[in-house]
Amino acid sequence: MIKVQYAARSERWNTHEAPLRAAFADAGLAVDLRIDHAPEDVDYVVYAPNSDLQDFTPYTRCKAVLSLWAGVEKIVGNQTLTMPLCRMVDPGLTAGMVEWVTGHVLRYHLGIDNTLLTQDRWQPMVPPLAEERPITILGLGALGQACAEMLAQIGFPVTGWSRSPKSIEGIACSHGDAGLRDALATAEIVILLLPDTPATHNTLNRETLALLPRGARIINPGRGPLIDDDDLLASLDSGQIGHATLDVFRVEPLPADHAYWAHSNVTVTPHIAAETRAITAARVIAENIRRGEAAEPFLHQVDRSLGY
Ligand code: NDP
Ligand code: OXD
């Protein structure tokens, strides 16, 4: 019997238990899934970085920690976590992110706010076609690539930026410092889907925000530290940045006195861009346990040296 420990907030157990049991059965895995195994008996941990489990030292036979979250910045530096760590790449989470990003892009592109503000008068404002609105996505991983492909399918000219060189049909791919400058130079809308690592902190700062065309819009469903908050606020005040839609913040919940709440050109959403979906995520976890038992490489294993 494979012993799997569920280590996420207790209120999530009701959501995840049945889908995990079903996925293990479908994968032909004999699993004893519990929230209270003795640590030394555990083969795999299904894990949320905000759970109480932070010391993995007693998990002496654990073969992998399988994160329910895509972002692993809260756990990747944990020195007691010496076993493989896999992040979540879930088709349900990806679909949610594509829908959220597309919706917020179309809000900007179609000028929906203006339409709502002019309900008392006939004031035609015809938006350009998508093909006339260049968009840049910073991060071309599981989420960035899926969003890039959807936006390109709608007709937007999409540029994507990543750490390593990439080739994706229909997307202009760039990388490195020079690539970032090029990717920002024409972007009317910038979407951040980078992980939170030391190398990505303040990717958007005074200097890089100044590279954008005046009035560009920012959409950040990635992580708060990707943007220098003071520099973004200054760029919003000067009009260099026209508007920002922010889902993630350095401190969450966003403190009630934070300037973003009161800023007329900022939309705050409470870290809801995309959530792990229990049924599809359970299948990914079951597949990784199957791989572990078959001594095959894990899917989506985190590279500790890169931090994602
Ligand atoms: P991936 O690891 O699949 O992709 C990360 C991308 O960022 C890759 O393209 C990677 O480049 C690129 N990247 C990493 N470091 C750098 C760097 N220094 N310079 C340039 N590019 C870099 O992650 P996901 O797509 O699955 O998720 C992205 C992030 O989205 C998560 O880390 C999380 O923070 C956030 N998220 C937010 C949610 C929300 O609800 N708001 C929900 C889920 C995730 P390369 O391809 O070369 O490796
Ligand atoms: C995640 C998130 O990382 O919800 O999965 O932000």
Side-chain angles (χ1 to χ4, degrees):
M1 202 63 137
I2 307 162
K3 292 195 167 57
V4 176
Q5 169 90 9
Y6 179 84
R9 289 274 167 91
S10 53
E11 64 270 19
R12 305 299 288 162
W13 174 238
N14 286 344
T15 309
H16 286 287
E17 181 188 3
L20 283 168
R21 291 194 191 287
F24 295 148
D26 288 349
L29 297 169
V31 169
D32 180 6
L33 172 69
R34 295 195 207 173
I35 54 174
D36 58 359
H37 280 300
E40 63 276 15
D41 291 341
V42 169
D43 295 300
Y44 299 90
V45 177
V46 175
Y47 187 68
N50 64 350
S51 90
D52 292 337
L53 171 54
Q54 296 296 328
D55 181 6
F56 291 87
T57 315
Y59 289 77
T60 45
R61 58 178 277 173
C62 179
K63 297 171 202 164
V65 171
L66 307 172
S67 176
L68 288 161
W69 293 13
V72 290
E73 71 280 357
K74 283 192 166 63
I75 186 67
V76 72
N78 185 325
Q79 298 296 319
T80 69
L81 201 162
T82 51
M83 56 293 276
L85 168 67
C86 301
R87 62 198 182 80
M88 178 50 67
V89 177
D90 159 31
L93 183 148
T94 303
M97 186 62 82
V98 169
E99 291 174 19
W100 188 89
V101 164
T102 305
H104 285 280
V105 163
L106 290 177
R107 170 192 175 191
Y108 286 146
H109 173 62
L110 298 176
I112 288 175
D113 289 20
N114 192 59
T115 308
L116 298 176
L117 285 171
T118 53
Q119 287 302 289
D120 56 350
R121 54 194 182 277
W122 188 265
Q123 188 177 297
M125 288 254 301
V126 179
L129 290 174
E131 66 184 27
E132 298 167 277
R133 175 99 61 197
I135 294 181
T136 284
I137 304 196
L138 305 181
L140 279 177
L143 300 176
Q145 179 169 344
C147 292
E149 286 174 343
M150 171 58 82
L151 295 172
Q153 205 175 317
I154 292 171
F156 294 103
V158 179
T159 297
W161 182 69
S162 53
R163 185 183 52 79
S164 55
K166 288 202 184 310
S167 169
I168 303 171
E169 199 183 335
I171 312 297
C173 296
S174 66
H175 67 280
D177 287 348
L180 179 61
R181 279 192 294 279
D182 291 346
L184 295 180
T186 55
E188 293 188 18
I189 301 174
V190 179
I191 300 151
L192 292 106
L193 277 166
L194 297 163
D196 172 355
T197 73
T200 62
H201 286 181
N202 298 327
T203 297
L204 288 190
N205 55 35
R206 192 159 59 100
E207 190 194 331
T208 50
L209 288 164
L211 297 171
L212 289 161
R214 191 166 175 81
R217 283 77 168 271
I218 310 290
I219 301 178
N220 185 15
R223 282 294 186 260
L226 302 177
I227 301 180
D228 182 307
D229 294 320
D230 290 339
D231 290 352
L232 176 57
L233 285 162
S235 303
L236 285 158
D237 289 341
S238 72
Q240 167 60 14
I241 299 302
H243 199 279
T245 297
L246 308 173
D247 183 58
V248 283
F249 305 91
R250 281 183 161 77
V251 178
E252 294 182 3
L254 183 66
D257 60 354
H258 198 286
Y260 284 146
W261 284 117
H263 204 291
S264 55
N265 287 338
V266 175
T267 296
V268 171
T269 62
H271 200 142
I272 45 76
E275 189 172 65
T276 297
R277 305 291 161 154
I279 293 174
T280 43
R283 293 185 193 131
V284 178
I285 286 168
E287 169 59 10
N288 253 343
I289 293 178
R290 187 201 67 72
R291 285 169 171 254
E293 294 306 288
E296 293 173 19
F298 290 116
L299 296 172
H300 320 308
Q301 189 169 337
V302 171
D303 180 330
R304 306 291 174 90
S305 63
L306 294 172
Y308 71 99

